[in-house]
Amino acid sequence: MSCVFCDIVNKKIPAFVVAENKNAIAFLDINPIADGHTVVISKKHYANLRECPDEVLSDMIKLSKEVANKISESKLKPWGFNYLSNDQKIAGQEIMHIHFHVIPKYGKHEGFKFGIGTHYVDEVKKVYELLNKK
C-alpha cells in the first residue's frame, strides 16, 4: 500500500523540508491554509497517534515546537498558531500516516477556524462515568 508521507521520507516525492530530527520530519503543506503551514510526520509509518510509540510522539512534538519557533522568528511574523492532528476519516484524516499540522495564524478569520458542534454531547458527569467504567 502506497503512502505519500512515506514517499516523502524516502525522498521519492520532493518536499520543502523545514526541519527534522531522529524520528520526525517537517515540511511545508502542499495545500496550505496559511503561509508557513507545516506538516510534521513520523519517519516510520504509524496510522495515527494511538499507534505511535511515545518516543516518536515526543520527537514529533519537539519538532512541532521547533517549527513554530522558526516560523515566529522568520519574516512571516504570525500572531499565534493552531496545532492539529486528526484521527480517522470521520475526524478529517486524509492520509493515514500520523501527522501534526502547525498552522500559523495571522488574523482571527484567516487560516484554520474552529467549527464547534454539540451534537451527541452528554452531561459531563455521565461522560466521566462512562470513561471510567470497567
Side-chain angles (χ1 to χ4, degrees):
M1 188 167 158
S2 181
C3 171
V4 67
F5 286 169
C6 288
D7 287 346
I8 289 171
V9 170
N10 294 318
K11 300 187 183 339
K12 293 180 182 176
I13 296 175
F16 292 100
V17 175
V18 175
E20 67 180 290
N21 61 28
K22 177 183 170 190
N23 290 306
I25 187 168
F27 52 89
L28 294 176
D29 194 300
I30 197 165
N31 294 308
I33 60 173
D35 289 340
H37 178 173
T38 303
V39 180
V40 178
I41 66 171
S42 61
K43 287 184 175 178
K44 187 173 176 190
H45 186 92
Y46 301 100
N48 53 51
L49 185 140
R50 294 172 291 119
E51 294 180 9
C52 194
D54 291 347
E55 179 186 359
V56 175
L57 284 172
S58 178
D59 278 357
M60 290 177 69
I61 291 296
K62 288 175 186 175
L63 194 59
S64 296
K65 179 180 176 182
E66 181 183 328
V67 165
N69 285 332
K70 185 173 188 171
I71 294 168
S72 288
E73 294 164 5
S74 76
K75 293 185 185 249
L76 292 173
K77 298 290 183 214
W79 300 355
F81 291 89
N82 290 112
Y83 304 94
L84 176 69
S85 182
N86 301 318
D87 186 333
Q88 302 300 317
K89 288 185 189 277
I90 194 165
Q93 186 177 9
E94 294 179 7
I95 298 171
M96 298 302 148
H97 183 128
I98 176 87
H99 59 285
F100 299 131
H101 294 267
V102 178
I103 307 169
K105 290 292 288 187
Y106 300 97
K108 185 176 182 178
H109 301 291
E110 297 175 6
F112 180 77
K113 294 179 269 183
F114 284 99
I116 299 173
T118 57
H119 196 53
Y120 299 117
V121 173
D122 221 328
E123 122 183 33
V124 175
K125 182 180 178 191
K126 182 176 179 183
V127 172
Y128 177 80
E129 290 168 356
L130 290 170
L131 282 171
N132 291 296
K133 230 178 216 181
K134 300 286 178 186

